[in-house]
Amino acid sequence: MIAPSPVRRTDQSPSPFGGGQGGGIAILALRVGSRAWRELRKMRTAIILLAILALLATVGTLLPQLPQNPRGVMGYVLRHPVTAPWFARLGLFDIFSSWPFIVVAVLMYTSIGASMFIRVPAAWRRAMEPAQRNRGLWAEVASIIFHASFFILLVGVVFGKAAGFLGNVAVVEGDSFTEARANYDNLSEGRLATQHANFQVKVDSFSASYWPSGAPRDFTSQVRIYDGGRLVETKSIQVNHYVDYRGVKIYQAGFGWAPTLKIETPDGRVVEDTPTIFVGDPQFANGVIKAPSAGPGDQQLGATAIFMPDPQIADQSIAPGTPQLRNPILLVRLYRGDLHLNRPQNVFALDTSNMDLRWRGALRVGESVVTPDGYRLSFTGLKRYTDLTINKDPGIPIVLAAFIIGLSALLISLYLPLLGPEQRLSPSRELTG
């Protein structure tokens, strides 16, 4: 007789995620998340993320940034109409507030924090064992301090942003700027920012030199600083050479041209006669002049202009040349109509939808022209302007302390084991998984 085969149980314990396709997806998601967490807490991952942050910061040095140089961003947009919109979508014109930078920074700090969550208890337990107290242990402690310095750095950056400010202002040669909230062209303040210093910066002159290719080699603003009506400093502001007064740093961010187009109405009224800031490359700058006082409604005046310091003229065509001031010319289009000043608008743009073109042509410095309508246009003067970035960051001492602590700990962790006989730590169960 053949004995019956034993019956095998085919039922299994129910999955905590439920059965079917939904449970399988949940299990797969759990496995992927667990694997991602294990990778994220590795120091190798933190180093890769740190390298990506450094790369993004490099992009911030190559492209003009909105907080420091909004006119430079406007000029870049005018010169690169294809790539500029994509860069703007990615936030590359304000790289340190962009979503790629924030995401990578959050992942990096999560990686460092997760690694320290394991390494600190492991190091503590090793320190409690006399056999483990060797040079390798102290090198491990120094390595932990090095990674902790990143969090000190984060505290300094956050505090500096919360208690400081960053502003931008364009000052024409011979004009002054008072360091007060209302006088900035662009200002970003932290929630804990205190009162402004209210000192005055007078720009006496500006000079620029160029490489043979036409690229700027150096540019310098000669300034005087007054505090309470008293002259306290006379300084030169250059690229990478800022002026620091009362904890406020003044940087040279850019420069440009400020032509003066004088506009007179047929009845002799002067409705515009001040330097206008133009944006763009030094050899090809764009500007907009608006004269709402010329008349009511459809009698207002507006002009778009292109300034070239060294135009290349051949037959009937004009092309930009070098940024050297050799034969300056101003190409003007004069419009009359409604400027739409009752609604927000870009000061560097002119809405000509309800305006008529009344005259267009070229003017050199000192020349005038009378339009068929009786308006007189005169190119009366030309100045430069300097674009200054003004920054107060009280978190810098904390950032400097983080750098010193981190660098010192890194050197100790690298070289301490080399100062004596080779001493290794036994592998920790937490670190080996």
Side-chain angles (χ1 to χ4, degrees), residues 142 145-147 149-150 400-411 413:
I145 294 175
F146 166 72
H147 292 97
S149 68
F150 281 88
L400 182 60
F403 176 77
I404 295 174
I405 293 172
L407 181 60
S408 301
L410 178 62
L411 294 175
S413 67

Side-chain angles (χ1 to χ4, degrees), residues 146-182:
F146 166 72
H147 292 97
S149 68
F150 281 88
F151 291 91
I152 302 176
L153 174 67
L154 180 62
V155 170
V157 172
V158 172
F159 176 70
K161 293 292 184 182
F165 63 84
L166 178 65
N168 175 268
V169 64
V171 186
V172 179
E173 288 178 293
D175 290 349
S176 301
F177 163 75
T178 300
E179 200 286 297
R181 182 177 290 109

Side-chain angles (χ1 to χ4, degrees), residues 48-256:
I48 293 174
L49 293 171
L50 181 61
I52 295 175
L53 280 182
L55 178 62
L56 291 174
T58 302
V59 173
T61 63
L62 298 177
L63 290 176
Q65 299 293 291
L66 280 171
Q68 294 87 8
N69 190 9
R71 270 167 290 275
V73 174
M74 179 65 67
Y76 188 93
V77 171
L78 293 174
R79 298 191 304 272
H80 304 88
V82 177
T83 58
W86 290 100
F87 290 167
R89 292 187 184 97
L90 293 173
L92 300 186
F93 293 123
D94 190 2
I95 193 68
F96 298 107
S97 299
S98 64
W99 63 264
F101 191 90
I102 293 174
V103 168
V104 175
V106 169
L107 289 175
M108 186 194 73
Y109 274 97
T110 303
S111 177
I112 295 175
S115 175
M116 291 182 63
F117 183 77
I118 296 174
R119 297 177 68 181
V120 171
W124 174 259
R125 282 189 289 272
R126 285 167 171 168
M128 295 298 100
E129 300 178 13
Q132 293 286 319
R133 296 174 190 170
N134 53 33
R135 295 180 187 273
L137 173 62
W138 298 117
E140 171 71 7
V141 172
S143 177
I144 292 174
I145 294 175
F146 166 72
H147 292 97
S149 68
F150 281 88
F151 291 91
I152 302 176
L153 174 67
L154 180 62
V155 170
V157 172
V158 172
F159 176 70
K161 293 292 184 182
F165 63 84
L166 178 65
N168 175 268
V169 64
V171 186
V172 179
E173 288 178 293
D175 290 349
S176 301
F177 163 75
T178 300
E179 200 286 297
R181 182 177 290 109
N183 296 328
Y184 283 91
D185 297 335
N186 189 51
L187 178 64
S188 176
E189 293 182 298
R191 292 183 177 273
L192 304 179
T194 57
Q195 295 294 325
H196 289 261
N198 293 308
F199 60 84
Q200 188 181 61
V201 180
K202 180 176 177 57
V203 179
D204 290 325
S205 62
F206 179 87
S207 60
S209 58
Y210 304 90
W211 297 104
S213 62
R217 180 171 59 184
D218 192 20
F219 39 98
T220 305
S221 298
Q222 299 291 338
V223 303
R224 285 180 288 169
I225 298 179
Y226 294 85
D227 197 348
R230 180 175 59 89
L231 176 64
V232 292
E233 287 191 34
T234 300
K235 293 287 187 179
S236 297
I237 306 177
Q238 296 175 278
V239 179
N240 300 323
H241 295 278
Y242 60 85
V243 170
D244 189 347
Y245 181 70
R246 291 176 56 183
V248 179
K249 293 182 173 61
I250 307 173
Y251 298 86
Q252 180 73 69
F255 66 97

